[in-house]
Amino acid sequence: MTQATGPTDRPLILDSLWYGAHVATMQDGHFSVIEKAAIGVRNGRIVWLDEMSKLPAYEAQQEHDFAGGWVTPGLIDCHTHLVFGGNRAGEFEQRLNGVSYQEIAKQGGGIAASVKATRDASEATLLASAKRRLSSLMQDGVTTVEIKSGYGLSLQSELKMLRVAAQLEDQLPIHVKRTCLAAHAMPPEFDDKDAYVDYLCEEVLPTVASLGLADAVDAFCEGIAFSTEQVSRYFEKAKALGLPVKIHAEQLTSQGGTRMAASFQALSADHIEFIEEADVQAMAEAGTVAVLLPGAFFTLKETQKPPIDWLRLYQVPMAIATDANPGTSPALSLRLMMNMACTLFALTPEEALAGATIHAAQALGMAETHGSLVVGKAADFVCWDVESPGELCYWLGGQLLKQRIQQGKLTS
Ligand code: NIG
Ligand code: FE
């Protein structure tokens, strides 16, 4: 399709043109609205974006009229444990009867139960169940997901989980960032935590790095998991292998893990209900993103909330993720997490959408190319059947997605 061009004008050459909706670009973490917008895409990237009325002469192979609604960047779920065997619905009932997460872990349930089920499952079984869960996230607007290992806890089973995460990206229209979380819990065949950390540093991390199976390295720093000293040793190895780090920290108690991770320029510190002001300052200085996980907070009936006012004061970017996992957050909608971040943690809907787009991209080290809609970035966007972008946080569930575009291609 061609629009008339003047004698000397060179038309804008596009693979596709998308119009008929308002756009919340999320540039700089704000809605940054463009009304009645048009988006020009070439080679999977945005090459033109502004009000439709300003569109110059163009030639496009395809044109697409959204016929109303709002377009946002594709949502980015920057913290998930989507690959696992079995499920832990039985523990859900135990917790309803008053048994705590820590008590269940001490009795050999919790993460250890998922480790057994994951080790016992074939790669094909893990792939099939993760695919179902990932499809739910995608149907709710997710175009990039991070997936952690951490239910393998041996070289072969950690590699198995990371390979499954890689296959998900091959088989579905979604970007998958893979994270090695081998320091998640103690495997049954070790009883000395330092000896297990030695094994991770000497065998697991070097192999994962040499196979190129992980984009980052994560650890669970907590009384029931690994100490700051142990995680710091593991992070030193990760850094030496050229892998960025991130951390599960200050979820149940304050251990100093966030500050330690910031000293390694961690991409993110996640959970962080128990962080102190000095931790927030360290994050601000290091450029570490705060990843809020309201699904785990809700499921564990936590009462200590992450200190949102300090995070705002020190301008630490806040991301929001599902933490989708079989124990503490069986959550399959990032939009529901945005609602809960508003309701439980008092984020504004604008902060919540920034948390699931541009700040989530930053938490994955991909803010240069993803997370907001600007010329030059990836053409990953979603059209929603809503009258305002804030509405995305308002509905509890429901099907608001009209269309999902990943790398410039319509995928639903
Ligand atoms: O992010 N905090 C540690 N890890 C997971 C929980 C994993 C599980 O219980 O299976 C989390 O909440
Ligand atoms: Fe987690």
Side-chain angles (χ1 to χ4, degrees):
M1 283 146 265
T2 311
Q3 264 205 352
T5 60
T8 55
D9 287 344
R10 275 167 183 262
L12 182 66
I13 304 295
L14 303 173
D15 294 335
S16 54
L17 180 76
W18 309 79
Y19 62 93
H22 306 307
V23 173
T25 67
M26 300 320 290
Q27 195 175 3
D28 304 321
H30 297 291
F31 285 144
S32 304
V33 168
I34 302 175
E35 291 193 341
K36 296 183 185 159
I39 306 175
V41 173
R42 192 168 60 229
N43 296 329
R45 283 167 179 259
I46 298 171
V47 293
W48 195 89
L49 170 57
D50 207 332
E51 288 165 21
M52 177 84 170
S53 60
K54 298 181 184 161
L55 187 65
Y58 66 94
E59 284 175 16
Q61 286 175 26
Q62 285 181 20
E63 295 191 20
H64 190 100
D65 183 357
F66 286 121
W70 277 80
V71 169
T72 68
L75 302 187
I76 298 177
D77 194 348
C78 66
H79 179 143
T80 85
H81 308 247
L82 267 190
V83 174
F84 56 82
N87 71 63
R88 307 214 310 263
E91 284 179 19
F92 173 63
E93 290 198 40
Q94 273 184 283
R95 284 200 311 274
L96 292 177
N97 289 322
V99 189
S100 75
Y101 181 64
Q102 285 100 319
E103 277 163 337
I104 292 171
K106 278 193 200 123
Q107 292 162 10
I111 296 174
S114 291
V115 170
K116 179 160 186 347
T118 304
R119 285 181 173 187
D120 290 349
S122 70
E123 218 159 299
T125 303
L126 291 175
L127 180 64
S129 66
K131 225 179 193 178
R132 283 197 298 276
R133 295 187 278 269
L134 187 50
S135 299
S136 298
L137 290 177
M138 291 166 66
Q139 280 157 24
D140 211 21
V142 171
T143 51
T144 297
V145 69
E146 182 255 22
I147 300 179
K148 301 174 195 295
S149 65
Y151 293 122
L153 310 184
S154 69
L155 177 61
Q156 287 316 321
S157 328
E158 286 290 300
L159 295 180
K160 176 171 73 170
M161 291 187 71
L162 292 167
R163 278 195 304 267
V164 170
Q167 287 171 56
L168 287 166
E169 182 167 52
D170 291 342
Q171 296 187 13
L172 295 171
I174 187 156
H175 305 291
V176 177
K177 285 279 189 179
R178 299 182 297 261
T179 301
C180 176
L181 173 60
H184 193 196
M186 281 291 283
E189 58 277 13
F190 277 85
D191 35 45
D192 181 57
K193 287 187 181 177
D194 284 312
Y196 180 59
V197 173
D198 289 344
Y199 165 69
L200 297 182
C201 294
E202 285 158 23
E203 291 193 42
V204 177
L205 290 182
T207 311
V208 166
S210 72
L211 294 172
L213 272 173
D215 302 295
V217 166
D218 194 350
F220 185 19
C221 185
E222 190 59 64
I224 56 169
F226 298 95
S227 68
T228 50
E229 292 72 25
Q230 287 157 346
V231 175
S232 154
R233 200 146 58 79
Y234 168 81
F235 279 179
E236 256 161 42
K237 186 68 193 187
K239 283 287 198 177
L241 292 165
L243 289 167
V245 300
K246 58 178 85 172
I247 192 164
H248 285 69
E250 271 69 62
Q251 179 186 11
L252 308 167
T253 55
S254 179
Q255 304 270 332
T258 301
R259 232 168 301 173
M260 178 276 294
S263 76
F264 285 90
Q265 277 73 50
L267 287 171
S268 68
D270 303 29
H271 289 289
I272 60 166
E273 280 84 346
F274 285 82
I275 47 172
E276 295 162 2
E277 190 170 4
D279 299 316
V280 181
Q281 285 171 316
M283 290 171 81
E285 277 161 31
T288 299
V289 175
V291 178
L292 310 178
L293 304 170
F297 174 90
F298 171 79
T299 303
L300 295 179
K301 296 191 185 160
E302 296 291 339
T303 51
Q304 169 111 3
K305 300 181 185 189
I308 304 302
D309 287 342
W310 279 339
L311 293 168
R312 286 187 183 126
L313 181 67
Y314 292 100
Q315 298 180 355
V316 174
M318 293 181 279
I320 295 163
T322 59
D323 194 13
N325 77 68
T328 60
S329 191
L332 297 176
S333 162
L334 183 52
R335 223 171 32 73
L336 179 59
M337 300 302 109
M338 289 159 56
N339 169 278
M340 287 164 69
C342 296
T343 307
L344 300 174
F345 299 159
L347 263 65
T348 65
E350 186 176 55
E351 285 174 325
L353 185 57
T357 54
I358 186 64
H359 295 157
Q362 195 176 334
L364 296 179
M366 58 193 301
E368 295 292 308
T369 51
H370 293 76
S372 61
L373 299 179
V374 293
V375 168
K377 282 200 178 186
D380 288 3
F381 45 89
V382 174
C383 186
W384 306 94
D385 190 7
V386 295
E387 288 171 25
S388 69
E391 222 182 293
L392 296 174
C393 296
Y394 160 71
W395 296 103
L396 290 164
Q399 295 186 339
L400 305 187
L401 184 81
K402 283 177 78 168
Q403 259 132 9
R404 178 184 179 280
I405 290 89
Q406 207 244 357
Q407 285 186 300
K409 301 229 162 59
L410 189 62
T411 61
S412 73

